[in-house]
Amino acid sequence: VLGEYYNSVRDQFTHVVKMQWCYCNHPDDYFIPYAYAPHHHFTQPNDVSLSVSTAGVVMDNTTRDIDVACIGLQYQHRALVMGELERIGYKVMSEVGPIFDEYRAIYNRAKVAFTWSSRKDTIARVFETPRMGCALVTNQTPDLGLFYTPGRDCLTFTDGREERDIVTFEISR
């Protein structure tokens, strides 16, 4: 997205830091990935009845009344998947706007966090939502394997119809 801009101003800086590994295409680029903030992204302290999802995330199934959440820009693909899940009967939370405490409260109520990167970069939600106790379902990105083992730490899809089936499988656990 910003590649042309970075190249046009590169000579003004000694370092260019990028948060997306897939955009580090110059020898002087430095990669610092997104991360979670422990004081913002955590499981609410009132969680008491715990179980472990397929992806190894500790979840409280008694207080998680949202089947799947996707907070952020509602790109066409995200909206289509969330709409389809809602049409087949799942309780979904899919919107733009919640931040900080409201954002955390929503994900603490969700069983599954659905994320999808429109540009093949590993997005911030991939690091944040598991810390709030959600099972992570995300599309496979080139650098995801640097941080997670798909099938163990998260469930992944490529680009097709399988994301609905993966989310449905994880919700049913």
Side-chain angles (χ1 to χ4, degrees), residues 33-69:
Y34 289 109
Y36 71 93
H39 56 284
H40 286 298
H41 309 112
F42 55 87
T43 302
Q44 299 292 78
N46 63 355
D47 290 349
V48 292
S49 175
L50 301 177
S51 66
V52 178
S53 73
T54 304
V57 176
V58 175
M59 296 175 54
D60 174 359
N61 290 320
T62 62
T63 61
R64 296 193 180 262
D65 61 333
I66 298 170
D67 292 314
V68 59

Side-chain angles (χ1 to χ4, degrees), residues 114-129:
F114 174 74
T115 70
W116 180 76
S117 168
S118 63
R119 302 225 179 245
K120 301 297 181 195
D121 55 320
T122 300
I123 60 176
R125 300 285 189 271
V126 166
F127 299 100
E128 298 166 355
T129 55

Side-chain angles (χ1 to χ4, degrees), residues 6-54:
Y6 288 139
N7 291 333
S8 72
V9 298
R10 185 175 293 283
D11 60 347
Q12 299 173 33
F13 302 95
T14 57
H15 298 85
V16 175
V17 176
K18 297 180 181 177
M19 297 178 81
Q20 298 92 359
W21 178 78
C22 60
Y23 299 136
C24 291
N25 51 15
H26 189 276
D28 294 331
D29 287 344
Y30 288 84
F31 172 54
I32 299 177
Y34 289 109
Y36 71 93
H39 56 284
H40 286 298
H41 309 112
F42 55 87
T43 302
Q44 299 292 78
N46 63 355
D47 290 349
V48 292
S49 175
L50 301 177
S51 66
V52 178
S53 73
T54 304

Side-chain angles (χ1 to χ4, degrees), residues 17 36 43 62 78 80 89-90 122 138 152 154 167 169 173:
V17 176
Y36 71 93
T43 302
T62 62
R78 290 178 182 174
L80 287 171
Y90 290 105
T122 300
T138 189
R152 184 191 73 191
C154 60
V167 170
F169 170 77
R173 299 209 21 94

